[in-house]
Amino acid sequence: MMRVTNSMIVKRTKTNINANRAKVDHTNNQMSIQKKITKPSDNPIIAIRALRLRSTLSTITQYYDNNIPDTESWMECTQTAMINMKDLITDAKKQAIYGTNDPLQPENREAILKELQSLQQQIYSEGNADYDQRTIFTGYKTNQNVTFMNTAEAKAEHYKITETFDYKQIEDKEYYKGRFDDTSNTTILGDPNANPPIPPADIPVFDDVQLNRLRLAYDNITADQNSLSVTVTDRTTGVKSTITMSADGKTFGVDGCTFEMGMDTSVTPNVPVINVTPPSGYTAVPAQFGNLANGSYTTQLYKTSDYDFTTTPPTALPGITAEPPKSASVNYSSTAPELSGTVNGQTLVYKVRDTADLRKNGYDVADNEIVFDNASGELIFTDKTAEIFDAGKATFSFTYDKNGFAEGELHPEYFFNCTRYMSERDDIVYENFDENGEWITQAIKYNIANGQQMQINTEARDVFDTNIRRDITELIDVVQYAISANKIVDELEEKVKNANPADLEQLNKWLDAAKKQRDYANQNMHDTYSAYIDKFQGYLDDINLGITNLGGRQARVELTKNRMSVQKSTFKELKSMNEDMDLSDLVINYTAASVSYQAALQAAAKIGKMTLLDFI
């Protein structure tokens, strides 16, 4: 039997008291924080699971409380802007419908004009909508606007722009010749008392001309800084061929081979020469010499690595299968002088003119010409040329300089490959299409759930067609022309009413011409506005599609939001079950620990009074 001493009893009593006190402290801390553990060592399993649950809950909270609301707000701003844009185009369509009514009184045309002018200024304004000071339609460039915001800014901008078209975008267009708006007495009757006498002007012969066009996104283009490339498929061989024509008519490219008109200044008088730049990897050898006089120039293109050029003609290098030489040729005009090429059997000449010149000469576009009206921003050609393009399934690439824009016009970098010229820094190049001609998207995506991203933005080109403003401008021009033509008839009728008998014959001839112009202007307004009803409906369809696509994404965000709400509640509950304790259990545990501690103290007090003799 082991002897139990007083020191052993005291030591064991102290140990029991400390253990009970520690338990009281632990349950007291649990009551304070209402958690199962106060440090990881209390229960490593609970601690590890708590870390995982807290991390997951924090992530879910970030998605639910921040990312998803930001996504919803951005999309709501986008939806509002698109709905406003839809309303504006609906108004434009209503004006087009209104403009087809017959007869229209002068005040009706004036009302249409004012409404269209207002729409012209507002039509793209919704593109500058922003969310949290970030524009929502500008892709990654959220610190910029879709349109030019003021006249000073717009006029100062200078871009080189490349637009692409295909043969399906070729439109029929009526142009008019013999148009007039000068009804002064001097013009109509002349002035025999002037020195020298002024004869009466020729009576206008009004008529319309049916042509085809491709219309650019902008008008008022720099005349001499542009080039046109046309790619066609040969009707018989199926081989594609690309020709490139310069604005001055002195440079012509055929499948990468460039011909440039120049002058040989080493002889007197100077004679025209054609300089040839072959495509990369090829050497150009003239197929014939001294042939400028007969109106054509041909060169053979030899693959440089396959031929020996010390011989005439070049001979293939031994031991290889040489690529056969290719022929490239252009036509030469000694009167311009200018270069032209042949496409599917049709010789094409590219010329630059402006609207005033075309009107003056009655839109005299020849069958072999592609005329660029730099004032209106149109490529114009005849039906015969359009048939060539249609048969060859032509595609077009037009590069031009646009120096100075109008307030409210679209920034080209959101729609085309272009270069923005800068005065105090390097020029900015915008490459928006890849080598296959596919748009390089600038989708902004938010993480709205674990492993789930959502595109929040809609790009400008998806809803803001560059043709909308141009169409409204044409409607304005048409109604202005109708207003002017009707006023001219009214003015001439007033002149006839108050005229001298000697002037009646001349005035009546002018009045007949004016009535013909008026009738055409009224009919042209009716026909143009009727055709544009479908155009504006097409724009509405595109915007409705954009709104539908946005609505689909909003619905997916809403579904994700509901799921994240459930997950947030679930993980909150799991976290609570893992970490938290019920207050009633804590009170019971604390009370039990406290009672045990008090009992231990009382027992120790009694034991401290005893000696060994009390146990003997």
Side-chain angles (χ1 to χ4, degrees), residues 471-544:
D471 284 345
I472 292 177
T473 299
E474 288 198 355
L475 293 180
I476 290 173
D477 291 343
V478 167
V479 70
Q480 283 180 326
Y481 180 39
I483 290 171
S484 174
N486 280 272
K487 284 183 177 179
I488 289 171
V489 171
D490 293 340
E491 290 173 5
L492 287 172
E493 286 179 339
E494 187 67 23
K495 287 179 183 290
V496 168
K497 186 187 299 182
N498 301 311
N500 295 322
D503 299 331
L504 276 176
E505 182 179 0
Q506 181 74 354
L507 284 169
N508 279 320
K509 289 179 180 179
W510 275 81
L511 179 58
D512 290 341
K515 287 181 177 179
K516 183 176 181 181
Q517 177 176 248
R518 177 199 61 189
D519 293 343
Y520 170 80
N522 291 341
Q523 187 62 42
N524 182 49
M525 180 175 175
H526 178 276
D527 294 345
T528 303
Y529 278 53
S530 295
Y532 276 45
I533 292 172
D534 289 338
K535 277 195 171 187
F536 285 113
Q537 183 58 52
Y539 301 142
L540 285 173
D541 292 342
D542 291 340
I543 291 180
N544 283 329

Side-chain angles (χ1 to χ4, degrees), residues 343-354:
V343 175
N344 279 1
Q346 172 70 52
T347 298
L348 292 182
V349 178
Y350 175 59
K351 295 182 177 180
V352 177
R353 300 165 68 180
D354 63 23

Side-chain angles (χ1 to χ4, degrees), residues 98 116 143 146 286 357 485 609:
Y98 185 32
L116 290 174
N143 61 337
V146 169
D357 176 55
K609 298 177 181 179

Side-chain angles (χ1 to χ4, degrees), residues 79-285:
Q79 185 181 50
T80 300
M82 291 169 70
I83 290 173
N84 290 343
M85 182 70 177
K86 176 182 175 181
D87 292 341
L88 289 172
I89 295 179
T90 300
D91 288 343
K93 181 183 175 183
K94 288 178 180 177
Q95 294 306 311
I97 295 172
Y98 185 32
T100 62
N101 293 330
D102 288 322
L104 282 173
Q105 299 302 315
E107 58 271 19
N108 301 138
R109 295 190 184 93
E110 291 288 350
I112 292 173
L113 176 61
K114 290 180 180 179
E115 181 66 23
L116 290 174
Q117 288 173 333
S118 175
L119 285 171
Q120 185 186 46
Q121 295 298 319
Q122 300 176 19
I123 197 67
Y124 294 133
S125 60
E126 292 300 325
N128 299 320
D130 68 342
Y131 167 70
D132 195 21
Q133 298 184 346
R134 293 174 292 170
T135 47
I136 58 180
F137 291 108
T138 54
Y140 299 150
K141 297 179 280 294
T142 57
N143 61 337
Q144 300 181 27
N145 293 309
V146 169
T147 69
F148 294 102
M149 297 296 291
N150 59 72
T151 302
E153 173 201 355
K155 286 185 176 180
E157 292 291 350
H158 185 188
Y159 283 79
K160 181 178 285 293
I161 305 168
T162 299
E163 292 193 45
T164 57
F165 308 89
D166 64 31
Y167 67 100
K168 297 177 183 177
Q169 293 170 271
I170 296 174
E171 299 177 314
D172 296 328
K173 177 73 187 299
E174 281 188 339
Y175 298 91
Y176 36 80
K177 58 184 180 181
R179 172 179 173 176
F180 66 96
D181 53 16
D182 184 0
T183 60
S184 65
N185 288 337
T186 302
T187 299
I188 297 174
L189 303 175
D191 187 358
N193 299 318
N195 187 17
I198 301 174
D202 292 335
I203 297 171
V205 180
F206 188 85
D207 200 2
D208 65 302
V209 181
Q210 299 288 332
L211 294 170
N212 294 268
R213 73 168 182 184
L214 288 169
R215 188 182 64 186
L216 303 180
Y218 304 96
D219 56 10
N220 297 318
I221 310 300
T222 305
D224 58 350
Q225 298 293 326
N226 60 77
S227 63
L228 171 67
S229 293
V230 183
T231 301
V232 296
T233 303
D234 189 275
R235 287 186 291 245
T236 56
T237 64
V239 175
K240 288 187 176 182
S241 179
T242 299
I243 59 173
T244 302
M245 299 166 277
S246 67
D248 60 7
K250 295 182 179 180
T251 304
F252 199 97
V254 180
D255 295 331
C257 182
T258 302
F259 299 84
E260 186 174 6
M261 178 67 68
M263 298 297 290
D264 184 357
T265 58
S266 64
V267 297
T268 304
N270 298 341
V271 295
V273 294
I274 295 178
N275 300 312
V276 181
T277 303
S280 178
Y282 288 84
T283 299
V285 176

Side-chain angles (χ1 to χ4, degrees), residues 570-595:
T570 300
F571 275 89
K572 273 187 175 180
E573 185 176 349
L574 290 173
K575 174 178 172 294
S576 179
M577 291 173 60
N578 181 65
E579 301 179 17
D580 299 337
M581 291 192 66
D582 186 80
L583 186 60
S584 59
D585 292 338
L586 287 171
V587 171
I588 292 172
N589 291 342
Y590 176 77
T591 302
S594 179
V595 169

